[in-house]
């Protein structure tokens, strides 16, 4: 997978909480992977209820696979995330939810996705 360069936010680690089990040295790469997915695939970011956000993605099979693969790896280190990648009716969405203790993490992730989408 080739990652595209996207402008960085001042705090690239803003949505990686202390509870994250990913080794600190690997976190910048994971942030870059999410940034690239957000910049290339996400077309809209919307709240979907308490502690939940829905991202609309360009409906392409390779983007669905990439989103699912990244989501699976992320739940390995941050088990408080729940991801659902859904393809239906020609649309592709990724819904992300967290428990009540991690809503600030989800809010930061959603803000980052919105920023990358607008860039």
């Amino acid at each position: 997978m080739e990652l595209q360069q996207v402008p960085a936010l001042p705090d690239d680690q803003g949505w990686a909480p202390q509870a994250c089990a990913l080794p600190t040295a690997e976190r910048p790469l994971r942030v870059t992977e999410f940034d690239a997915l957000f910049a290339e695939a996400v077309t809209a970011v919307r709240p979907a209820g308490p502690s939940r956000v829905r991202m609309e993605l360009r409906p392409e099979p390779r983007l669905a696979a990439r989103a699912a693969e990244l989501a699976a790896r992320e739940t390995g280190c941050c088990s408080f995330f729940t991801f659902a990648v859904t393809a239906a009716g020609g649309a592709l969405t990724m819904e992300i939810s967290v428990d009540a203790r991690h809503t600030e993490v989800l809010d930061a992730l959603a803000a980052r996705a919105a920023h990358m989408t607008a860039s």
Side-chain angles (χ1 to χ4, degrees), residues 49 66 69 107:
R66 190 164 139 204
E69 188 269 338
D107 291 346

Side-chain angles (χ1 to χ4, degrees), residues 3 12 14 25 41 47 51 56 61 68 71 80 84 91 94 103 110:
L3 300 177
D12 281 345
S51 303
E56 296 173 16
F80 55 85
M94 181 167 62
T103 55

